Amino acid sequence: MKVSQTFIPTLREVPTDAQVTSHRLMFRAGLLRRLGNGLFAYLPLGLRAFRKVEQIVREEMNAIGSLEIKPTVVIPGELWKESGRWEGMGEALLKFKNRTNADFVISPTAEEAFTAIVRDELSSYRQLPLSLYQINTKYRDEVRPRYGVMRGREFIMKDAYSFHANDESLDKTYQDMGRAYRQIFRRCGLTVIPVKADSGAMGGSGSEEFMVESEIGDNTLILCKSCDYAANVEKAECKLDFSPRFSAELARGAAASTPPVEKIDTPNVKTIEELCAFLKTDAKTFIKTLIYKAVNVETEKGMLPEKFFAVCIRGDLDINEVKLAAALKAAEAGLASEADVERLTGAPLGFAGPVGLAKELPVIADFSVTAINDGVSGALAKDLHYKHIAYGRDFEAALTADLRTVKAGDRCPLCSGELYEKKGNELGHIFKLGFKYSKSMNVSYLDENGKSHIPTMGCYGIGLDRSLASVIEEHHDDDGIIWPITVAPYHVIIVPIKYDGPVKEAADKLCSELERSGIEVLLDDREERPGVKFKDADLIGIPYRVVIGDKNLGENPKAEVKRRTEKESRLVDLAKAAAELTEKIRAELAS
Amino acid sequence: MKVSQTFIPTLREVPTDAQVTSHRLMFRAGLLRRLGNGLFAYLPLGLRAFRKVEQIVREEMNAIGSLEIKPTVVIPGELWKESGRWEGMGEALLKFKNRTNADFVISPTAEEAFTAIVRDELSSYRQLPLSLYQINTKYRDEVRPRYGVMRGREFIMKDAYSFHANDESLDKTYQDMGRAYRQIFRRCGLTVIPVKADSGAMGGSGSEEFMVESEIGDNTLILCKSCDYAANVEKAECKLDFSPRFSAELARGAAASTPPVEKIDTPNVKTIEELCAFLKTDAKTFIKTLIYKAVNVETEKGMLPEKFFAVCIRGDLDINEVKLAAALKAAEAGLASEADVERLTGAPLGFAGPVGLAKELPVIADFSVTAINDGVSGALAKDLHYKHIAYGRDFEAALTADLRTVKAGDRCPLCSGELYEKKGNELGHIFKLGFKYSKSMNVSYLDENGKSHIPTMGCYGIGLDRSLASVIEEHHDDDGIIWPITVAPYHVIIVPIKYDGPVKEAADKLCSELERSGIEVLLDDREERPGVKFKDADLIGIPYRVVIGDKNLGENPKAEVKRRTEKESRLVDLAKAAAELTEKIRAELAS
């Protein structure tokens, strides 16, 4: 392809709104243009790279027997009402009514559509397992889209959904997907951190996120310096620096020698720090108590739209709201308003404590609290605290759980090594869904004996745009992109010093030789100074650059060949250049 | 691919809501399932066929130098406001507001997006011509979607847009597109009727529709029995059976011997037929006068939201509203309400005529009226008509134009042959847009002398889903689909009589031999009776069927090979079957 015949509007200037490298380079290299806030058009060069990523994803999905289908992007709202996500998904779900007043969503994900398709066709266990995927447009109504296609509103996702008769079958597909994902990212040249977030409960549930390190990542990863433990902070655990007492009775026993609870005046003491100074004690003796509002709480009596809890944790630790919501079986948990706190505790903000609370406000305790048998906490009245509080003796929790936010410096739950933090961006996610959709949407099949069962499900997503942008984040230098050959829009760029006479002939010949052997070539036939062409070649990052100029076209004609990663080029016999490049590129592509 | 490892839910029953063959067969063959009204999911087999059509389209677009890009499906409403189509497009345009209250559309077509992209990058004449396309999701909010993907709400369209410095350049791309379209439809096995709808005015405008004959077509085509004249009835012309008088003066002269206008009582006469009987005359002497309301009329003084006209045509002819709207430079033209007619003509419905009308109601006349120099028409009062009306003498038209609806039996405008009608479905459309979008959206470039110009544009669409459905409409029999090899989801289906022992070995071997040479094979490994497998093979329409059974696996093993189109199979040496099939299929694919 000649540069003059394609459309690669490179820019010297850095777009002002582009805050991250990939966004800047995708614009400067003419891969992408903006259509609106969070809406981008891929131009020819960008689309070629995008399609390479897409094809790698497709090949690896097909290789593990997942079957490609294509549902619509616009999905009837009815299906989302069946699954319960019509209301539960939050505002990022774009809903609309059409002219006939029917409800629709623009798919941000497609559990409902795939479940509906399978529901209508599934009858026998012989049809299981079934793994289906699509590579299709998605829309998330981000309030503040940013970082180019890294967090856009419209994007392309590969999403797969699998259906199984039993956990072993789900686990096999889940493992296959995990391997396929590693293969996909490896082939794209991406270094991912697979983050297991397996709750371990029931043996059935499981989830793994594939992260890339990124300063603009919206995930915090907790990693171990000594082993390969990696977790999203939302789910990270750590080695405990205390010995939890899971039964209240045991805790009560440990408090045998603790003096009785004593009320103390603490005038003008507001923070835990001030209280520690005032009492000359350590934050670790403090029982921090926060009032939380949980939304859509599953209880034995059905779903409660909201419920309040007093959540306790050791004074030096922080509550992890994702863990809390999971422990409460709630859709979400967040701090209650000041008014709610005053109403529920009878005291101003800052004096909540677990002792003497009304029954309507159950105590939820982090395991750390169960180890406190002589602690301090608010006394449910202004400027008053209790000391000598013992868990099990002076109060009990309705539920104890791991609720702490793990931090850098905590110890690894696997090897006791030191944990550290990284910012990460999620590129992919594999997840054992279980019966959530198959149950709510009434999917069933008959087993060998004609008995009806509900299939268990998994779901598996990869963001293609974000993966492509991450390739650029990982592979670039000050001059531009450095494409891995597998996703490069072209393999070779031929730069004739001046596209004329014998140089033109030599360039055209090399171009057609390479193209005949399946190598993708860009030929810079523009009437520009060599410096401009070299700068553009570096910017758009084509893996191999071949310069052809008069001075090397003597008796023994040569071309200057340079990898994008190399500083210096080498002279190669022009007659052998096509064969040599073809061989190298084929080998790299196959590896 | 083994049938047991894919997902082809064939049906014996015909879906009740499927009214057309392609819809029925796409469901029965397991290509498609319904997600909602006008929303369909392609299952694996359907998607494979769909991708073949897509790839043919892509190859032919690339071959003429059009460049693929990928804008978003969701487009900011701002761009549509700039072009004027935010209001002008009608209710099939799906508009929505997102959570930040910004306006968006789901693309039904992408003139705005492409024009915006080019506007921002175009500076010099050296960048022109530029031809860009996408193959992407579209949405039209059809009130009554039907016929499966033939008229769905969401669909995939290839839409291309080209930008040019002059008409010659636009014409070249337009011609290239026309050739590419013919090539695309030929490769898909589709017989299309290219319908030219060139207005011929100004030499610049032009349009060609690619139709397939279809009983459910929403277009009426006018075709000539003697030559290749083909036109959409909306624009069809015919040879005139009268001699029009373009100047009123000339018409006046022709009326020299016509008696003066005379008012006649016509009690209880309502239809033209009754009037002809009453006056013992022919409908051809009647000047049929209808009051039309035109919407968004371009005038010298700017755009009028609505304007009324008295439209006259010879009594035996009918007004073509598309021609009328074009002649009036209006967005639309439709019959005025009864109340409007009474208010404007001062007479009840049925007594309008061109003589004596108020100036506010200009007369628009079909050319046929200019040839009437002794005609009859309503006298603007109940039960009264005028006779002896002569055009030019008794009234003049503000505008004369070709407004008639051409019908079967009319004569060809090219060769005078007899015209006939067919119902057709539009699969593609190429169109010279001119400056409509480049002007309203302020696109410009500088010429050699640094002078600013507006580029002229063309647009070119193909509906992919509809094309695929049309392939099935054209290629099927009572047993199922008969895929042309170019778009067949698989080239060969191997049917082992019983997938076991030596039969299994032979089937597996043939399958892998064929796959190694790039042939796409489906292997029916199911434990079903041969009759069931044969029926399914016919239903899904794979071009070559190879049956392998015990009885032919003697000393000189054979396979039964049959084309889907053939009644009888032939015995082929099993050892040579792969080579023979590969050779045939490659030749067919290359032709």
Side-chain angles (χ1 to χ4, degrees):
Chain A
M1 171 66 85
K2 287 181 180 163
V3 170
S4 69
Q5 286 170 8
T6 180
F7 180 52
I8 310 176
T10 56
L11 303 172
R12 291 284 159 263
E13 311 265 304
V14 178
T16 50
D17 63 334
Q19 299 163 289
V20 297
T21 307
S22 57
H23 189 183
R24 277 194 294 270
L25 286 176
M26 289 177 93
F27 271 72
R28 286 196 51 214
L31 307 184
L32 208 67
R33 284 300 181 262
R34 183 181 183 279
L35 275 172
N37 197 2
L39 299 174
F40 299 95
Y42 284 89
L43 301 190
L45 206 60
L47 186 57
R48 287 182 70 97
F50 185 89
R51 294 275 191 240
K52 300 269 176 105
V53 173
E54 181 180 333
Q55 189 54 23
I56 288 172
V57 171
R58 181 172 287 125
E59 286 171 11
E60 297 299 334
M61 285 298 104
N62 293 347
I64 58 167
S66 198
L67 300 165
E68 188 174 3
I69 69 171
K70 191 178 83 65
T72 44
V73 174
V74 168
I75 300 288
E78 293 315 312
L79 294 178
W80 283 68
K81 288 171 190 168
E82 279 189 53
S83 76
R85 290 209 297 176
W86 178 258
E87 293 302 338
M89 183 82 179
E91 283 197 275
L93 175 64
L94 200 129
K95 304 170 184 178
F96 68 86
K97 279 186 189 293
N98 81 339
R99 68 202 284 193
T100 66
N101 212 35
D103 284 320
F104 294 94
V105 308
I106 308 185
S107 263
T109 154
E111 281 79 359
E112 287 79 2
F114 278 71
T115 304
I117 290 166
V118 170
R119 170 176 62 187
D120 293 346
E121 303 305 324
L122 186 63
S123 52
S124 157
Y125 70 97
R126 279 188 299 255
Q127 294 168 279
L128 298 176
L130 182 58
S131 171
L132 302 171
Y133 75 97
Q134 68 175 331
I135 299 178
N136 210 348
T137 300
K138 301 287 182 303
Y139 190 90
R140 256 186 73 87
D141 200 17
E142 294 278 357
V143 175
R144 272 179 304 279
R146 60 202 136 144
Y147 311 137
V149 294
M150 198 70 99
R151 201 179 308 161
R153 281 180 172 147
E154 185 178 315
F155 53 95
I156 301 270
M157 191 164 98
K158 185 286 297 175
D159 44 330
Y161 306 87
S162 67
F163 300 81
H164 308 269
N166 54 52
D167 286 346
E168 294 69 45
S169 168
L170 169 57
D171 195 60
K172 182 183 176 309
T173 298
Y174 178 83
Q175 300 295 341
D176 286 348
M177 286 281 175
R179 273 190 296 274
Y181 274 42
R182 284 167 172 77
Q183 186 71 350
I184 286 165
F185 294 123
R186 188 193 63 73
R187 288 180 65 188
C188 291
L190 282 165
T191 308
V192 292
I193 306 169
V195 174
K196 286 203 176 144
D198 200 325
S199 77
M202 314 291 174
S205 137
S207 144
E208 190 171 14
E209 294 163 334
F210 295 83
M211 299 278 189
V212 280
E213 192 179 343
S214 162
E215 45 180 294
I216 52 141
D218 36 24
N219 291 274
T220 300
L221 309 185
I222 300 292
L223 303 161
C224 176
K225 287 186 179 171
S226 311
C227 76
D228 65 354
Y229 178 76
N232 194 316
V233 70
E234 293 183 344
K235 300 205 168 176
E237 298 181 21
C238 66
K239 193 185 167 198
L240 302 184
D241 57 350
F242 58 85
S243 178
R245 301 191 181 99
F246 297 111
S247 95
E249 205 163 8
L250 186 70
R252 197 151 46 236
S257 59
T258 308
V261 166
E262 183 184 326
K263 199 176 269 183
I264 46 172
D265 275 319
T266 50
N268 300 317
V269 167
K270 288 209 175 108
T271 65
I272 292 185
E273 228 166 48
E274 287 166 357
L275 190 73
C276 290
F278 182 82
L279 297 175
K280 299 188 179 61
T281 178
D282 188 85
K284 290 189 176 181
T285 68
F286 196 79
I287 302 172
K288 182 155 67 178
T289 305
L290 299 163
I291 312 304
Y292 271 89
K293 180 161 99 174
V295 173
N296 290 347
V297 188
E298 267 180 53
T299 71
E300 283 169 13
K301 291 168 196 153
M303 180 79 85
L304 289 179
E306 62 176 51
K307 187 164 166 54
F308 292 88
F309 298 93
V311 183
C312 299
I313 195 164
R314 203 175 70 194
D316 62 324
L317 305 179
D318 291 313
I319 297 288
N320 178 323
E321 293 180 357
V322 176
K323 287 184 181 177
L324 176 62
L328 297 175
K329 294 186 182 168
E332 251 177 49
L335 283 172
S337 69
E338 192 168 340
D340 280 333
V341 172
E342 290 187 13
R343 178 174 55 80
L344 292 160
T345 64
L349 206 62
F351 297 93
V355 179
L357 280 173
K359 269 199 182 146
E360 292 74 51
L361 197 65
V363 171
I364 308 297
D366 178 62
F367 290 137
S368 60
V369 172
T370 68
I372 297 178
N373 54 21
D374 190 351
V376 174
S377 197
L380 305 177
K382 186 166 165 29
D383 292 343
L384 284 176
H385 280 83
Y386 286 126
K387 62 182 185 179
H388 303 315
I389 302 175
Y391 179 74
R393 185 189 70 180
D394 305 314
F395 75 101
E396 278 186 35
L399 178 74
T400 58
D402 170 30
L403 303 177
R404 81 193 273 180
T405 298
V406 174
K407 286 190 285 252
D410 286 342
R411 311 308 300 187
C412 174
L414 297 181
C415 76
S416 305
E418 192 184 336
L419 295 175
Y420 65 104
E421 291 183 11
K422 264 189 188 178
K423 285 282 176 195
N425 247 327
E426 184 188 305
L427 301 187
H429 192 179
I430 63 177
F431 188 70
K432 292 183 183 176
L433 276 171
F435 301 98
K436 179 171 164 52
Y437 296 90
S438 47
K439 206 166 183 175
S440 60
M441 294 182 69
N442 291 316
V443 190
S444 68
Y445 67 93
L446 299 179
D447 69 11
E448 297 89 324
N449 307 312
K451 212 184 137 195
S452 178
H453 296 275
I454 298 171
T456 183
M457 287 175 61
C459 71
Y460 320 90
I462 287 184
L464 269 65
D465 310 77
R466 185 176 266 206
S467 294
L468 183 68
S470 299
V471 170
I472 296 173
E473 292 286 341
E474 189 167 342
H475 302 277
H476 69 271
D477 61 16
D478 289 347
D479 297 322
I481 302 168
I482 306 175
W483 288 113
I485 197 115
T486 47
V487 294
Y490 292 91
H491 303 130
V492 175
I493 182 165
I494 300 177
V495 183
I497 294 295
K498 193 168 178 357
Y499 190 60
D500 200 12
V503 171
K504 176 175 184 298
E505 266 172 50
D508 288 347
K509 183 160 178 280
L510 180 61
C511 183
S512 61
E513 282 171 358
L514 285 166
E515 283 178 346
R516 266 202 305 278
S517 50
I519 304 300
E520 298 165 12
V521 189
L522 200 57
L523 170 59
D524 195 345
D525 61 336
R526 293 176 301 164
E527 279 186 40
E528 295 280 1
R529 284 178 296 110
V532 170
K533 295 189 191 179
F534 294 159
K535 267 205 162 345
D536 273 350
D538 279 353
L539 178 58
I540 65 176
I542 307 302
Y544 285 94
R545 190 187 79 186
V546 182
V547 176
I548 299 180
D550 264 329
K551 68 168 182 180
N552 291 318
L553 292 186
E555 207 162 310
N556 190 5
K558 308 261 188 204
E560 294 174 45
V561 175
K562 188 179 94 65
R563 283 218 63 149
R564 174 65 180 80
T565 42
E566 294 166 346
K567 281 254 175 290
E568 302 296 328
S569 55
R570 333 170 264 115
L571 286 176
V572 171
D573 280 348
L574 195 55
K576 295 179 191 158
E580 187 190 313
L581 281 166
T582 301
E583 194 186 335
K584 271 180 191 262
I585 291 165
R586 284 195 187 152
E588 284 177 49
L589 284 171
S591 72
Chain B
M1 173 65 87
K2 288 180 180 165
V3 170
S4 69
Q5 285 169 8
T6 181
F7 179 53
I8 310 175
T10 55
L11 303 172
R12 290 286 158 261
E13 311 265 305
V14 178
T16 50
D17 63 335
Q19 298 162 290
V20 297
T21 306
S22 57
H23 189 185
R24 278 194 294 269
L25 286 175
M26 289 178 93
F27 271 71
R28 284 195 52 214
L31 307 184
L32 209 67
R33 285 297 181 264
R34 185 181 181 280
L35 275 172
N37 198 1
L39 300 173
F40 299 94
Y42 284 90
L43 301 190
L45 206 60
L47 187 57
R48 286 183 70 96
F50 185 87
R51 294 276 191 239
K52 301 270 176 106
V53 173
E54 181 181 333
Q55 189 54 23
I56 288 172
V57 171
R58 180 171 287 123
E59 286 170 11
E60 297 299 333
M61 285 298 105
N62 294 346
I64 58 167
S66 197
L67 300 165
E68 189 174 2
I69 69 172
K70 189 179 85 65
T72 44
V73 174
V74 168
I75 300 287
E78 292 315 312
L79 294 178
W80 283 68
K81 288 171 190 169
E82 278 189 54
S83 75
R85 290 208 297 175
W86 179 258
E87 293 302 337
M89 183 81 179
E91 283 197 275
L93 176 65
L94 199 129
K95 304 171 184 177
F96 68 85
K97 277 186 190 294
N98 81 340
R99 68 202 283 192
T100 66
N101 213 34
D103 283 321
F104 293 93
V105 307
I106 309 185
S107 262
T109 155
E111 281 80 357
E112 287 79 1
F114 279 71
T115 305
I117 290 166
V118 170
R119 170 176 61 188
D120 293 347
E121 302 306 324
L122 186 63
S123 52
S124 157
Y125 70 97
R126 278 187 299 255
Q127 295 168 280
L128 298 176
L130 182 58
S131 171
L132 302 170
Y133 75 97
Q134 69 175 330
I135 299 178
N136 210 347
T137 300
K138 301 288 183 300
Y139 190 90
R140 257 186 73 87
D141 201 18
E142 294 277 356
V143 176
R144 273 179 303 279
R146 60 204 136 141
Y147 311 137
V149 294
M150 198 71 98
R151 201 179 307 163
R153 282 181 172 148
E154 185 177 315
F155 53 95
I156 301 270
M157 191 163 97
K158 185 287 296 175
D159 44 331
Y161 305 88
S162 67
F163 300 81
H164 308 269
N166 55 53
D167 286 346
E168 294 69 47
S169 168
L170 169 57
D171 195 58
K172 183 186 174 306
T173 298
Y174 178 83
Q175 300 296 340
D176 286 348
M177 286 282 175
R179 273 190 297 273
Y181 274 42
R182 284 167 172 78
Q183 186 70 352
I184 287 165
F185 295 123
R186 189 192 63 73
R187 289 180 63 188
C188 292
L190 282 164
T191 308
V192 292
I193 306 168
V195 174
K196 287 203 174 142
D198 200 326
S199 78
M202 313 292 173
S205 136
S207 142
E208 190 171 14
E209 294 163 334
F210 295 83
M211 299 277 189
V212 282
E213 191 178 345
S214 163
E215 45 181 293
I216 54 142
D218 36 23
N219 292 274
T220 300
L221 309 185
I222 300 292
L223 304 160
C224 176
K225 288 187 179 170
S226 312
C227 76
D228 64 355
Y229 178 76
N232 194 316
V233 70
E234 293 183 345
K235 300 205 168 180
E237 298 180 22
C238 67
K239 193 186 170 200
L240 302 183
D241 57 349
F242 59 86
S243 178
R245 301 191 182 98
F246 297 111
S247 96
E249 203 164 9
L250 186 70
R252 198 151 47 233
S257 59
T258 308
V261 167
E262 183 183 328
K263 200 176 269 183
I264 46 173
D265 275 317
T266 51
N268 300 319
V269 167
K270 290 212 172 104
T271 64
I272 291 186
E273 227 167 50
E274 287 167 357
L275 189 72
C276 290
F278 182 82
L279 297 175
K280 299 190 178 56
T281 178
D282 189 83
K284 290 189 177 181
T285 67
F286 195 78
I287 303 172
K288 181 155 67 178
T289 306
L290 298 163
I291 312 305
Y292 272 89
K293 179 162 98 174
V295 173
N296 292 345
V297 187
E298 267 178 53
T299 71
E300 283 169 13
K301 291 169 197 157
M303 180 81 85
L304 288 179
E306 60 175 55
K307 187 163 165 56
F308 292 89
F309 298 92
V311 183
C312 300
I313 195 163
R314 202 176 71 193
D316 62 326
L317 305 179
D318 291 311
I319 298 287
N320 178 323
E321 294 181 356
V322 176
K323 286 183 181 177
L324 176 63
L328 297 175
K329 294 185 182 168
E332 253 177 48
L335 284 172
S337 68
E338 191 167 342
D340 281 332
V341 172
E342 289 188 13
R343 177 174 56 81
L344 293 161
T345 64
L349 205 63
F351 297 94
V355 179
L357 279 174
K359 268 200 183 146
E360 293 74 50
L361 197 65
V363 172
I364 308 298
D366 178 61
F367 290 136
S368 59
V369 172
T370 69
I372 297 179
N373 56 21
D374 190 350
V376 174
S377 196
L380 304 177
K382 185 165 166 30
D383 292 343
L384 284 176
H385 280 81
Y386 285 125
K387 61 181 185 180
H388 304 316
I389 302 176
Y391 179 74
R393 183 189 72 180
D394 305 314
F395 74 102
E396 277 185 37
L399 179 74
T400 58
D402 170 29
L403 302 177
R404 80 194 273 181
T405 299
V406 173
K407 286 190 285 249
D410 285 343
R411 312 307 300 188
C412 175
L414 298 181
C415 77
S416 306
E418 191 184 337
L419 296 174
Y420 65 104
E421 292 182 11
K422 265 189 186 179
K423 286 279 177 198
N425 248 325
E426 184 189 305
L427 301 187
H429 192 178
I430 63 177
F431 188 69
K432 293 183 183 175
L433 276 170
F435 301 98
K436 179 171 163 54
Y437 296 90
S438 47
K439 206 166 182 175
S440 59
M441 295 182 70
N442 291 314
V443 190
S444 68
Y445 66 93
L446 299 179
D447 70 11
E448 297 89 324
N449 306 312
K451 214 185 135 194
S452 179
H453 296 276
I454 298 171
T456 183
M457 288 175 60
C459 70
Y460 320 91
I462 288 185
L464 269 66
D465 309 78
R466 187 177 265 205
S467 293
L468 182 68
S470 298
V471 169
I472 296 172
E473 291 287 341
E474 189 167 342
H475 302 279
H476 69 270
D477 62 16
D478 290 345
D479 297 321
I481 302 167
I482 306 175
W483 289 111
I485 196 115
T486 47
V487 295
Y490 292 91
H491 303 130
V492 174
I493 182 165
I494 300 176
V495 183
I497 293 294
K498 193 170 180 347
Y499 190 60
D500 200 13
V503 171
K504 176 175 184 300
E505 264 172 53
D508 287 347
K509 182 159 179 286
L510 179 61
C511 182
S512 61
E513 283 171 356
L514 285 166
E515 284 179 345
R516 265 202 305 278
S517 51
I519 303 301
E520 298 166 12
V521 189
L522 200 57
L523 170 60
D524 194 346
D525 61 335
R526 293 176 300 165
E527 280 186 39
E528 294 280 1
R529 284 178 294 110
V532 170
K533 296 189 191 181
F534 293 160
K535 267 204 163 348
D536 273 349
D538 279 351
L539 178 58
I540 65 176
I542 307 302
Y544 286 94
R545 190 187 79 185
V546 182
V547 176
I548 299 180
D550 265 329
K551 69 167 184 180
N552 291 317
L553 291 186
E555 206 162 313
N556 189 4
K558 307 262 187 205
E560 294 174 46
V561 175
K562 187 179 95 66
R563 283 218 63 150
R564 173 65 179 80
T565 41
E566 295 166 346
K567 280 254 174 294
E568 302 295 328
S569 56
R570 341 171 258 114
L571 285 176
V572 171
D573 281 348
L574 195 54
K576 294 180 193 159
E580 186 189 313
L581 281 166
T582 302
E583 193 186 336
K584 271 179 191 264
I585 291 166
R586 282 194 188 154
E588 283 177 51
L589 285 171
S591 72

